[in-house]
Amino acid sequence: LAHMTARASRSWAMCRLGSMSTLIGLGIAIAFLSSASVVVSAFQTPHLGAKGHRLATHKVSRTSLCLQQQRRVVQGSHAPSGGTTQRYVSGSSAIDLGDGDGPPDTSQPGPSFLTTLWRFTRPHTLIGSAIAIPSIFLLASPTYASFFEARSLASLLYAAVPSLLMNLYITGLNQITDVEIDKINKPELPIAKGDLKPSTATAVVLIALAISLAMSVISPSFSTQGLQVALWGSFVLGTMYSLPPFRMK
């Protein structure tokens, strides 16, 4: 019986070790592919320093000038009371401006603030972080059962909230400092598109940063040294990535 118990224990240990090794290998592969994609993107996208910012602004101005030159007012004969219906035509799109005697029709509502805020978070990075955090917790758990204990889940939730807020700070700060570049390379982003004011975006990232760093120190039980190192380290690196004099882009 003792021999069978020992063999079962060894089999379970080897099975657990194999599962852990598989997860670690998968994590390394994902990290390698992510790093490779970043390197490829860096080579494909030209570096834009001070000269690049001037070039980006120049391209935006040229684009606006071309659009203004392409627009023409089309006079229509179907307007009521002998008036004219004006339409600004640019390419294949047209915007009705009414009968020429009043302001243009702007009744179409824009995106809601929550929708704009979700786009501002760069969801693909937020989702990636939301998957990575519990995966790291699972790898660090001594047993699979311990991962589902109440204290472990509470610790996971407490670590996830400030981590995702720090992710919002880093991606949001990058969008605030790259508006002119994003107008060319990523015009769908909310600030570049005009759906979110830079002042509102700045308030959002500062609030996210304040809550994230506060949660790293206020809890005697869950504000561990590991969480503090991760959050404060991310804050320093994310700030150096986007702001001068470092601008690590």
Side-chain angles (χ1 to χ4, degrees):
L1 180 61
H3 180 67
M4 292 177 62
T5 302
R7 288 187 59 185
S9 299
R10 285 196 299 269
S11 299
W12 168 249
M14 294 203 49
C15 179
R16 185 171 180 273
L17 179 61
S19 300
M20 287 293 185
S21 300
T22 301
L23 289 174
I24 293 173
L26 182 60
I28 293 174
I30 293 174
F32 175 78
L33 292 175
S34 300
S35 302
S37 64
V38 170
V39 172
V40 171
S41 299
F43 277 103
Q44 289 179 342
T45 304
H47 177 73
L48 294 175
K51 182 178 180 181
H53 278 284
R54 292 195 297 270
L55 178 61
T57 305
H58 177 64
K59 287 184 177 180
V60 171
S61 301
R62 288 185 59 188
T63 303
S64 300
L65 181 60
C66 291
L67 290 176
Q68 290 175 4
Q69 292 175 345
Q70 290 177 359
R71 288 174 182 156
R72 64 184 182 274
V73 179
V74 179
Q75 302 294 332
S77 59
H78 56 277
S81 303
T84 59
T85 298
Q86 297 180 353
R87 299 169 67 205
Y88 273 126
V89 179
S90 175
S92 61
S93 62
I95 304 174
D96 288 326
L97 298 182
D99 61 359
D101 298 328
D105 183 13
T106 57
S107 59
Q108 185 177 3
S112 66
F113 178 73
L114 290 180
T115 301
T116 302
L117 183 61
W118 173 247
R119 289 166 47 216
F120 180 63
T121 63
R122 303 293 280 152
H124 66 281
T125 66
L126 202 68
I127 294 172
S129 298
I131 295 174
I133 295 168
S135 300
I136 294 173
F137 261 76
L138 181 61
L139 287 173
S141 299
T143 63
Y144 293 127
S146 64
F147 174 79
F148 295 99
E149 293 177 356
R151 179 173 177 79
S152 179
L153 294 177
S155 179
L156 169 61
L157 179 62
Y158 190 89
V161 172
S163 299
L164 296 178
L165 289 174
M166 183 59 67
N167 188 96
L168 169 59
Y169 164 75
I170 294 172
T171 57
L173 179 64
N174 182 250
Q175 293 177 68
I176 293 171
T177 57
D178 281 354
V179 176
E180 296 302 326
I181 300 175
D182 289 340
K183 285 180 180 179
I184 298 173
N185 294 333
K186 301 175 183 177
E188 75 281 357
L189 294 181
I191 301 180
K193 193 175 181 180
D195 293 337
L196 185 65
K197 296 180 180 179
S199 57
T200 304
T202 301
V204 169
V205 298
L206 289 179
I207 292 172
L209 175 65
I211 296 175
S212 177
L213 295 182
M215 292 185 68
S216 72
V217 296
I218 61 174
S219 175
S221 301
F222 298 123
S223 298
T224 61
Q225 292 182 352
L227 182 61
Q228 293 170 5
V229 169
L231 293 177
W232 285 87
S234 299
F235 161 61
V236 172
L237 292 176
T239 303
M240 292 174 63
Y241 179 79
S242 295
L243 291 182
F246 302 100
R247 196 80 177 146
M248 297 164 45
K249 299 197 63 174

